[in-house]
């Protein structure tokens, strides 16, 4: 008896997204190592935590595939691109990685909608919401480096930014949580 509740197409898409999340984890791990080697321990700490969050996303998808009776396919992860050339470049790359991941998630959501796989569509809504937070976090990083001077940020500004990011929470505040009393 076939107990797989996922179509082959959805199963494959989820496996691809699982690998995308693993790749994102590797990318942030790479950026964190670069930041640490460059002396930005606070930025490194922030990125190391973010790398672990991406790995947790990978595990959510893996577990979902298994719970739906599908087959998990663990595949090779592409190496991250070249190290950032600056903090500004690092934050730009973080934003680009998040936008790329959002696009990939939307493809799975659309596929589940088209196939009327409501369980997968519902499951993927968590990732849609998460990507709003992820992109907001990336935009906040870009805004911080721009305030610090972008590519021309001086040592004092970079030091302050590095110290601030060491203590920055990993989660960005969702637009859905904003009220007139709590802007």
């Amino acid at each position: 008896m076939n107990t797989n509740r996922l179509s082959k197409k959805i199963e494959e898409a989820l496996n691809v997204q699982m690998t995308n999340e693993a790749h994102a984890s590797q990318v942030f791990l790479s950026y964190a190592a670069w930041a640490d080697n460059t002396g930005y321990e606070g930025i490194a700490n922030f990125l190391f935590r973010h790398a672990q969050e991406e790995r947790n996303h990978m595990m959510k998808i893996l577990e979902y595939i298994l719970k739906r009776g599908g087959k998990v396919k663990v595949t090779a992860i592409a190496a991250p691109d070249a190290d950032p050339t600056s903090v500004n470049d690092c934050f730009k790359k973080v934003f680009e990685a998040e936008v790329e991941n959002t696009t990939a998630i939307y493809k799975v959501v659309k596929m589940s909608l088209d196939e009327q796989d409501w369980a997968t569509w519902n499951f993927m809504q968590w990732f849609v919401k998460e990507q709003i937070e992820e992109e907001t976090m990336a935009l906040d990083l870009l805004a911080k480096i721009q305030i610090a001077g972008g590519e021309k940020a001086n040592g004092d500004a970079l030091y302050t930014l590095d110290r601030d990011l060491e203590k920055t929470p990993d989660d960005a505040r969702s637009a859905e949580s904003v009220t007139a009393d709590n802007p």
Side-chain angles (χ1 to χ4, degrees), residues 112-174:
S112 64
L113 178 68
D114 291 345
E115 289 193 16
Q116 298 182 354
D117 178 347
W118 305 124
T120 300
W121 185 88
N122 186 57
F123 170 73
M124 292 304 296
Q125 295 312 299
W126 184 90
F127 287 92
V128 170
K129 182 179 180 279
E130 179 67 12
Q131 283 310 115
I132 294 168
E133 294 173 11
E134 299 287 312
E135 286 187 14
T136 299
M137 178 268 312
L139 286 169
D140 288 349
L141 290 174
L142 281 174
K144 287 179 190 300
I145 191 62
Q146 291 311 305
I147 290 168
E151 282 297 339
K152 296 180 182 181
N154 68 32
D156 289 342
L158 290 171
Y159 178 81
T160 301
L161 177 62
D162 183 58
R163 297 285 57 94
D164 287 350
L165 281 178
E166 185 173 40
K167 300 175 212 119
T168 298
D170 295 332
D171 297 328
R173 209 163 58 117
S174 166

Side-chain angles (χ1 to χ4, degrees), residues 55-72:
R55 182 168 165 73
N56 290 342
H57 297 170
M58 176 200 74
M59 291 302 297
K60 281 182 184 295
I61 295 170
L62 184 146
E63 184 70 17
Y64 178 77
I65 295 168
L66 292 174
K67 293 292 184 196
R68 296 298 290 160
K71 179 163 176 40
V72 170

Side-chain angles (χ1 to χ4, degrees), residues 16-25 28 50 53-54 57-58 61 94-108 124 127-128 130-131 134-135:
V16 166
Q17 188 56 38
M18 182 183 71
T19 303
N20 289 345
E21 299 290 346
H23 182 257
S25 178
F28 291 120
H50 199 70
E53 184 178 330
E54 297 296 337
H57 297 170
M58 176 200 74
I61 295 170
V94 166
F95 177 70
E96 290 166 358
E98 291 300 351
V99 169
E100 186 176 310
N101 200 30
T102 298
T103 301
I105 286 168
Y106 287 176
K107 287 179 183 176
V108 179
M124 292 304 296
F127 287 92
V128 170
E130 179 67 12
Q131 283 310 115
E134 299 287 312
E135 286 187 14

